[in-house]
């Protein structure tokens, strides 16, 4: 069964975002709910700060477990693995995602997984096209927010993503006034200090023209990773202590991705070594490790890169 047929067959779907839902995951859920005219949104462990204005604008009060409501289907948006939506653990979900496929793709009743898509929101628009569902302003607005956010405002996005964004801009109509606050990128003070602390605490490694930095922060890992990537580091690894382990957020340059994929290779390897889950895209991803310290992860990662890439790193003081 294809995804459009599966979605047409459901009367009461639960739309599940990944943990710590971002604008793409939540925007896809809200947009799809508008397109279907039904559905309950489920955010397994809440919504990340930048995505919270979507909840307010669309007046949504998500559940945290599908079991809270009667439902006949579970739709997973923007998450490749059961670990990314834990403790939600559907046996045969409908899956729409643009990450490297993991254990949800193999058990899905129907799936649309396309790693070339700039955002899951882009895939929702593709489904609407196929199904001939009308893109109302209320559907187009959250999808546009998701697409612009996940592609860094289309920076380096493929033509296909740009075309979808243009269609969405045309469809938002009088809701365009809501766009600026939904896309607010002003930095919270925590974000600013994560950029500074992440940079100051980083240990640098170099092999030829390949630069690697490993650092740790208390939160806002993505902000810290961007600061170091902006400084020209090829592989940035940011660790943060969580109640149940260590979260590892990684970003990589094209030069690095030519050699190794973060979501397809590096992060799953960390999860194998230290327990937990790891995945994402070739140049961006996250691992949630159950039993690892920052020092262990750093040592393992550098040793692993050296042996796999045949390089010798020197520490940059
Ligand atoms: Mn996404």
């Amino acid at each position: 069964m294809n995804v459009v047929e599966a979605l047409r067959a459901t009367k009461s779907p639960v739309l599940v975002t990944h943990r710590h839902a971002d604008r793409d995951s939540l925007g896809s859920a809200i947009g799809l709910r508008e397109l279907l005219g039904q559905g309950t949104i489920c955010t397994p462990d809440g919504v990340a700060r930048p995505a919270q204005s979507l909840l307010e604008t669309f007046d949504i009060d998500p559940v945290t477990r599908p079991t809270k409501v009667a439902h006949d289907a579970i739709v997973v948006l923007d998450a490749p693995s059961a670990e990314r939506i834990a403790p939600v653990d559907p046996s045969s979900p409908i899956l729409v995602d643009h990450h490297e496929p993991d254990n949800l793709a193999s058990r899905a009743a129907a799936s649309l997984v396309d790693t070339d898509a700039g955002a899951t929101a882009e895939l929702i628009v593709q489904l609407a096209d196929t199904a001939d569902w009308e893109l109302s302003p209320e559907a187009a607005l959250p999808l546009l927010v998701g697409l612009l956010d996940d592609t860094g405002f289309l920076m380096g996005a493929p033509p296909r993503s740009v075309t979808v964004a243009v269609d969405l801009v045309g469809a938002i109509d009088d809701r365009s006034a809501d766009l600026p606050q939904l896309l607010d990128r002003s930095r919270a003070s925590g974000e600013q200090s994560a950029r500074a602390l992440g940079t100051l605490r980083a240990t640098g490694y170099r092999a030829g023209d390949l630069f690697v930095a490993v650092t740790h922060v208390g939160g806002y890992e993505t902000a810290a990773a961007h600061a170091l990537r902006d400084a020209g580091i090829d592989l940035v690894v940011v660790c943060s202590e969580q109640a149940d382990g260590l979260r590892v957020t990684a970003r990589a340059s094209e030069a690095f991705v030519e050699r190794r994929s973060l979501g397809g290779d590096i992060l799953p390897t960390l999860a194998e070594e230290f327990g937990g889950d790891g995945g994402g895209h070739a140049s961006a991803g996250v691992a949630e490790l159950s039993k690892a310290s920052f020092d262990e992860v750093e040592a393992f990662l550098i040793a692993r890169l050296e042996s796999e890439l045949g390089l010798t790193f020197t520490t940059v003081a």
Side-chain angles (χ1 to χ4, degrees):
M1 189 165 22
N2 69 38
V3 171
V4 168
E5 286 168 8
L7 290 172
R8 281 197 169 119
T10 159
K11 296 269 173 290
S12 49
V14 173
L15 312 176
V16 180
T17 70
H18 60 65
R19 293 169 61 86
H20 207 57
D22 65 0
R23 285 166 169 158
D24 184 31
S25 195
L26 185 60
S28 295
I30 297 172
L32 182 58
R33 194 182 74 146
E34 293 292 333
L35 289 166
L36 297 175
Q38 59 187 4
T40 302
I41 293 175
C42 171
T43 55
D45 77 337
V47 171
R49 196 190 61 86
Q52 270 162 16
S53 55
L54 278 170
L55 289 183
E56 289 150 24
T57 300
F58 290 91
D59 197 19
I60 284 165
D61 189 12
V63 299
T64 55
R65 303 286 178 271
T67 46
K68 300 266 195 234
V69 292
H71 61 276
D72 62 4
I74 291 184
V75 186
V76 176
L77 300 157
D78 201 39
S81 68
E83 290 78 6
R84 288 291 288 144
I85 56 171
V88 180
D89 191 12
S91 57
S92 50
I94 301 167
L95 175 66
V96 184
D97 187 30
H98 69 134
H99 296 92
E100 296 292 336
D102 200 327
N103 58 26
L104 286 179
S106 45
R107 62 165 97 158
S111 67
L112 173 60
V113 174
D114 182 350
T115 57
D116 291 330
T120 294
E122 181 179 321
L123 297 173
I124 301 295
V125 176
Q126 188 180 314
L127 290 171
D129 268 358
T130 312
D132 216 11
W133 290 326
E134 193 207 318
L135 268 179
S136 66
E138 284 66 35
L141 179 61
L143 294 171
L144 180 61
V145 168
L147 177 56
L148 290 178
D149 193 58
D150 246 29
T151 58
F153 285 79
L154 301 171
M155 206 108 61
R160 159 188 161 186
S161 302
V162 178
T163 304
V164 171
V166 169
D167 289 347
L168 288 169
V169 168
I172 60 174
D173 201 25
D174 60 339
R175 297 303 301 259
S176 59
D178 291 311
L179 201 52
Q181 57 124 348
L182 291 174
L183 286 168
D184 182 18
R185 296 210 147 197
S186 60
R187 278 173 197 153
S189 60
E191 219 167 325
Q192 192 61 47
S193 60
R195 286 176 67 91
L197 290 173
T199 303
L200 291 170
R201 288 176 186 155
T203 306
Y205 297 88
R206 175 182 193 173
D209 54 6
L210 192 71
F211 289 90
V212 176
V214 187
T215 191
H216 59 104
V217 292
Y220 295 103
E221 302 89 334
T222 311
H226 282 148
L228 285 156
R229 278 286 298 117
D230 290 348
I233 310 296
D234 293 287
L235 171 61
V236 178
V237 177
V238 182
C239 299
S240 64
E241 300 278 354
Q242 302 295 311
D244 49 357
L246 193 73
R247 183 187 295 153
V248 178
T249 302
R251 295 289 183 275
S253 66
E254 270 177 35
F256 183 85
V257 167
E258 278 168 19
R259 309 181 208 206
R260 279 292 181 280
S261 160
L262 293 180
D265 176 16
I266 303 288
L267 293 165
T269 304
L270 283 180
E272 237 166 73
E273 175 72 15
F274 295 105
D277 174 57
H281 309 286
S283 64
V286 62
E288 289 183 343
L289 306 177
S290 42
K291 37 184 189 300
S293 72
F294 169 63
D295 291 334
E296 287 170 338
V297 168
E298 179 170 4
F300 174 81
L301 183 76
I302 295 301
R304 183 81 184 196
L305 287 173
E306 287 190 326
S307 70
E308 288 205 353
L309 301 176
L311 298 172
T312 304
F313 282 107
T314 52
T315 311
V316 182

